[in-house]
Amino acid sequence: MKGSILKNMQIFENIHPLRNWRRLMVREEKLIGFVPTMGSLHEGHLSLIKQANKLCKAVAVSIFVNPAQFAPNEDLDKYPRSLSDDLAKLSAINCVDAVFLPKVEDIYPAGITLDVEKQLGTFVEVKGKSHQMEGQSRPTFFRGVATVVTKLFNIVQPDHVFFGQKDIQQCAVIKNLIRDLHFPLELHVGPTLREEDGLAMSSRNKYLTPEMRKVAAILYQSLNAVKHAFEQNIRDRKNLLAPAYDLIENKSKFIKDQNLDFSIKLDYLSLADPESLQELDEVGENGAILSGALYIGTTRILDNLLLNCKI
C-alpha cells in the first residue's frame, strides 16, 4: 500500500503469547487500544477499531462469544459466527496489530453453564447500573458482560478501550467497573453507526428476513419521534413517549393487515436519568437516555438516542 505502513496482524489463541506481545508493546512505549467484540463484525466494530488506531500505536481486538451473557432461553448456539470473514475484514482495514481468539475454557477455567445458579468460579457484578433498562429484560446479562470484560482487561492490559453507544447501558456498566476496580485505562464511546434507513448496525441484523428488514427501522423512527417531541419542549414522560408507542402500534397493525408471517412486539421503552439510569417521569436539566428494545419475529433489536446528555 503506497504511502502507508502495513501492519503485521498477529493472531493469538492463548493467553501467554498475547501477554508476551503486550510486554513487547510496553517496551516499545506503544499505547495499546483494545476493542472487545463477539465477532460477526460490521462497520460499527470497524469504526471503533479505526478510532483506536488514531489514538494508539498498537491495537488489539478480541473475538469471543461470551456464554455468560446469555440466559438459557437465549440464542448462544445460533449467535452468528463468521471468523474467517472477520479476520479478512480486520486485515483489510490495516489497523490491527493483535487479534485474541480465546477458548471458553481459558476464559472460564471452572467451566460455564448458562444457569447462573449452577455457575462456579469468579464473577463480577456492577450494582446499581445493571438492573434497569436492559437489565429488566435480561437480569443476568450485565453480570456476564462485567465478568468477561474484567477478564479481558486483565489479560490484554490496554491503555484505552473502545465501545459503541448502541449498547449504551453496557458503556455505563463498564465506566463504573473501570472506576470501581481501579483499572488504569480510559474508556471511549463511539457513535452508533446506522444503515441508510436508520437501523442501528448489529450482528443480529443477519437474522432478519428481507420482509423483516423492511420494517426494522421502526424502533429508530419511534425514538426519533420522541426526540422531536423533546425538541418541541415536551418534558413529561407520558407525552414524550406517546409518539413512539403510536408508531409501533400502527406498524404492528400494518404487519397484521398484510398477513406477513411475523409480528413485532415492543419489549420496553426507557426514559432514564443519564447518571442513575432510573426511569424519569419528567426530563430535567440533566437530560435523559432514551432507549428501547423490539422483537421482530424472534430477533431482538435495540437502540438509543441521547436527549441533551452524555454517557
Side-chain angles (χ1 to χ4, degrees), residues 73-298:
N73 62 334
E74 292 182 338
D75 59 347
L76 174 60
D77 291 338
K78 295 181 179 178
Y79 191 85
R81 293 164 171 85
S82 53
L83 182 58
S84 60
D85 186 50
D86 290 344
L87 293 176
K89 288 178 179 178
L90 294 178
S91 179
I93 61 173
N94 193 35
C95 291
V96 180
D97 298 86
V99 182
F100 183 39
L101 308 174
K103 301 177 182 67
V104 172
E105 55 266 31
D106 289 331
I107 298 297
Y108 297 102
I112 185 72
T113 173
L114 302 190
D115 185 346
V116 169
E117 298 301 320
K118 297 179 180 178
Q119 288 175 350
L120 302 174
T122 304
F123 292 84
V124 180
E125 293 186 78
V126 179
K127 299 288 190 181
K129 300 291 182 181
S130 301
H131 65 279
Q132 313 93 323
M133 299 159 67
E134 275 289 284
Q136 290 285 327
S137 297
R138 307 180 73 189
T140 63
F141 175 71
F142 291 112
R143 179 178 183 267
V145 169
T147 297
V148 78
V149 165
T150 297
K151 290 169 179 280
L152 290 171
F153 286 174
N154 278 331
I155 293 166
V156 180
Q157 298 180 30
D159 301 287
H160 298 268
V161 293
F162 299 81
F163 290 85
Q165 183 189 314
K166 186 184 79 69
D167 301 299
I168 196 162
Q169 188 176 2
Q170 175 175 275
C171 294
V173 166
I174 292 167
K175 178 181 177 181
N176 279 257
L177 181 144
I178 289 171
R179 180 197 68 189
D180 294 348
L181 297 185
H182 305 287
F183 280 109
L185 53 84
E186 185 175 346
L187 170 67
H188 303 265
V189 179
T192 302
L193 263 65
R194 301 184 179 278
E195 306 291 352
E196 288 186 9
D197 62 355
L199 176 67
M201 291 184 180
S202 170
S203 300
R204 284 189 171 93
N205 291 348
K206 294 179 179 179
Y207 295 154
L208 299 173
T209 67
E211 288 299 322
M212 291 175 178
R213 180 62 189 82
K214 290 177 183 178
V215 303
I218 186 61
L219 179 58
Y220 175 64
Q221 293 162 2
S222 300
L223 297 182
N224 257 328
V226 176
K227 183 179 180 182
H228 178 72
F230 180 81
E231 291 168 347
Q232 302 304 309
N233 293 318
I234 297 173
R235 294 293 183 268
D236 67 287
R237 181 186 188 88
K238 181 179 178 182
N239 288 308
L240 267 175
L241 296 185
Y245 286 120
D246 289 344
L247 278 172
I248 292 169
E249 183 179 357
N250 290 337
K251 184 62 72 173
S252 179
K253 289 179 180 177
F254 170 80
I255 290 169
K256 289 178 182 177
D257 291 343
Q258 296 296 309
N259 292 316
L260 298 177
D261 62 355
F262 65 93
S263 61
I264 65 172
K265 179 184 176 183
L266 182 65
D267 188 357
Y268 71 86
L269 283 177
S270 169
L271 189 68
D273 181 271
E275 289 297 323
S276 70
L277 304 187
Q278 298 300 321
E279 294 298 316
L280 296 171
D281 292 323
E282 185 142 345
V283 181
E285 293 182 358
N286 292 336
I289 298 172
L290 171 67
S291 63
L294 179 78
Y295 283 97
I296 303 179
T298 59

Side-chain angles (χ1 to χ4, degrees), residues 49-63:
I49 295 165
K50 291 172 184 176
Q51 184 182 349
N53 186 56
K54 288 180 180 178
L55 186 64
C56 303
K57 290 291 186 182
V59 175
V61 175
S62 65
I63 297 175

